[in-house]
Amino acid sequence: MLILNKTAGVFFKPSRRKIYAFLGSFHFHPGKLFLHKLVLGIETSCDDTAAAVVDEAGNVLGEAIHSQTEVHLKTGGIIPPVAQQLHRENIQRVQEALSASEVSPSELSAIATTIKPGLALSLGVGLSFSLQLVDQFKKPFIPIHHMEAHALTIRLTNKVEFPFLVLLISGGHCLLALVRGVSDFLLLGKSLDIAPGDMLDKVARRLSLIKHPECSTMSGGKAIEHLAKQGNRLHFDFQPPMQRAKNCDFSFSGLQHVIDKMIMQKEKEEGIEQGQVLSSAADIAAAAQHTVACHIAKRTHRALLFCKQRGFLRQSNTVLVVSGGVASNLYIRKALEIVTSATQCTLLCPPPRLCTDNGVMIA
Ligand code: KG4
Ligand code: ZN
């Protein structure tokens, strides 16, 4: 913009809006090198209504997000029609992302929206809103696969070459995939039942951590991590699932039932009703978190060894990307660091705000 300032005084300290309007006013044909293509990304697959405007160099020009976590914490889980209603009430936040970026819909190059996987009722709100915009402003529509967006997010913050391994762990996702290109994925493993965040949420609910003064506003997984720091994991011996399974799949519901039974037994021993917080809650949280971390680390280790053995990943400069809400758990990250240092890999995690659902990864 220095040149613009020198040659055209009117552009002294120009706003982003003016820069893009100025660039857009020229009929250059510079191909892909011209950095003013702008994409609006819209995400409503689960319980976050999110939008962002990103340019083709990966600069985030504006963003908006509304999280439904508080409501779902009170109802003890996501009720799809409730999530749908909250998305409907908040979908106008897309306008906030556009205003923050100082970009008008007519200046967009395309509109990208999550179309799968997710809750059908939630996806529908983002999709119909997007299609209205597409129709009104005659813009190209880019359908986005939510998991692929998660897997590629790291490329916004780090220079990562293909191929790399990605581990997605959240309330709704649990998968290990080899990322060979922007739309070239090889699924290596997935959860056969529930995702780790869902399991930690269920354990936290069963432990009534919402009544614990330090945890009442935290998501289940965060509450477990917080309480685990005060507990002794060795007081309970939960076994990691699928120890003999020769694949990279995961399972969490069996472990959740074992923990449930233990909580019931402890309630009897302590003579308390379900709904009150056990004196051993911190020890149970520590043991549950440790077992989940071991399971995730062991399956990831198998996937890394498999990929290296088959030549799917480079022998050096191998990268493991970990993302999703559960990736913010520092105990689980530590377990994964042990695996990556034993296999000469680099562990990369997007910053927390890009680990969870957001509009930037869609754009
Ligand atoms: O990625 P996310 O925001 O939403 C989806 O599930 O797509 O992840 C939310 C999940 C919840 O299950 C929550 O309990 C879990 O991530 N979570 C954590 C932590 N923070 C959030 N799990 C373990 N440790 C944490 N610190
Ligand atoms: Zn997600």
Side-chain angles (χ1 to χ4, degrees):
M1 292 318 297
L2 264 179
I3 297 167
L4 285 183
N5 286 339
K6 275 184 191 163
T7 54
V10 287
F11 284 109
F12 185 66
K13 281 194 183 167
S15 69
R16 256 195 225 123
R17 183 187 179 80
K18 281 188 180 149
I19 295 169
Y20 285 116
F22 176 76
L23 292 172
S25 68
F26 286 87
H27 295 287
F28 293 145
H29 298 284
K32 284 185 177 170
L33 285 175
F34 197 47
L35 297 179
H36 82 293
K37 280 187 187 153
L38 304 167
V39 176
L40 168 66
I42 298 178
E43 157 65 35
T44 63
S45 68
C46 188
D47 58 347
D48 292 302
T49 318
V53 178
V54 175
D55 73 12
E56 69 184 293
N59 299 306
V60 181
L61 305 185
E63 218 184 321
I65 187 158
H66 172 264
S67 165
Q68 305 177 356
T69 306
E70 217 174 288
V71 175
H72 299 312
L73 260 180
K74 284 190 194 126
T75 52
I78 299 174
I79 301 167
V82 174
Q84 180 189 40
Q85 182 54 30
L86 292 170
H87 281 304
R88 282 185 179 145
E89 287 167 17
N90 291 285
I91 193 68
Q92 289 300 335
R93 299 229 174 174
V94 170
Q95 300 298 347
E96 279 176 31
L98 286 166
S99 312
S101 62
E102 299 181 30
V103 168
S104 70
S106 58
E107 290 168 311
L108 293 169
S109 311
I111 295 168
T113 304
T114 308
I115 55 149
K116 66 178 181 184
L119 300 172
L121 293 179
S122 295
L123 286 164
V125 178
L127 188 57
S128 59
F129 184 86
S130 309
L131 294 180
Q132 268 171 27
L133 279 183
V134 162
D135 190 46
Q136 186 181 348
F137 295 95
K138 306 283 174 260
K139 296 292 171 185
F141 177 69
I142 309 176
I144 300 292
H145 190 289
H146 182 82
M147 307 305 232
E148 294 184 358
H150 267 306
L152 296 170
T153 302
I154 193 71
R155 284 160 47 85
L156 273 177
T157 53
N158 298 66
K159 214 172 172 302
V160 186
E161 302 287 333
F162 297 118
F164 59 87
L165 189 68
V166 69
L167 169 70
L168 295 182
I169 40 175
S170 72
H173 326 312
C174 182
L175 62 83
L176 268 165
L178 181 69
V179 186
R180 297 185 289 209
V182 169
S183 54
D184 185 3
F185 295 81
L186 178 67
L187 184 65
L188 298 169
K190 60 182 185 329
S191 176
L192 302 177
D193 37 64
I194 57 175
D198 191 9
M199 182 220 142
L200 293 171
D201 291 341
K202 286 182 165 125
V203 171
R205 269 206 299 282
R206 187 61 188 78
L207 284 170
S208 306
L209 296 189
I210 198 156
K211 293 199 182 138
H212 193 290
E214 291 166 28
C215 307
S216 59
T217 57
M218 293 178 185
S219 69
K222 196 161 188 210
I224 296 277
E225 180 176 27
H226 179 80
L227 212 56
K229 289 186 193 131
Q230 305 162 22
N232 184 344
R233 69 173 174 84
L234 298 173
H235 286 182
F236 294 92
D237 183 23
F238 304 128
Q239 290 302 307
M242 303 181 74
Q243 302 220 55
R244 296 216 177 91
K246 290 191 167 55
N247 57 40
C248 302
D249 287 334
F250 302 82
S251 168
F252 295 94
S253 64
L255 176 61
Q256 185 221 319
H257 288 304
V258 170
I259 298 171
D260 265 9
K261 269 196 192 159
M262 182 55 75
I263 295 171
M264 210 187 307
Q265 186 185 319
K266 283 282 146 192
E267 282 169 349
K268 268 192 200 144
E269 281 175 27
E270 292 189 17
I272 65 166
E273 295 284 320
Q274 181 170 338
Q276 291 174 275
V277 182
L278 282 168
S279 68
S280 49
D283 296 338
I284 295 174
Q289 176 180 254
H290 176 75
T291 315
V292 166
C294 282
H295 180 46
I296 291 173
K298 284 181 181 194
R299 312 313 283 171
T300 306
H301 190 205
R302 278 188 75 85
L304 276 169
L305 293 180
F306 172 79
C307 286
K308 285 205 169 194
Q309 202 180 52
R310 295 287 173 105
F312 291 166
L313 284 171
R314 274 183 296 273
Q315 293 303 321
S316 60
N317 297 328
T318 320
V319 171
L320 169 69
V321 173
V322 185
S323 192
V326 179
S328 55
N329 184 297
L330 296 182
Y331 192 89
I332 294 173
R333 274 198 200 187
K334 199 95 208 129
L336 289 165
E337 270 166 23
I338 295 170
V339 168
T340 47
S341 70
T343 46
Q344 290 84 50
C345 285
T346 306
L347 176 67
L348 294 178
C349 299
R353 69 181 184 86
L354 292 179
C355 264
T356 53
D357 292 350
N358 62 82
V360 175
M361 70 179 193
I362 306 304

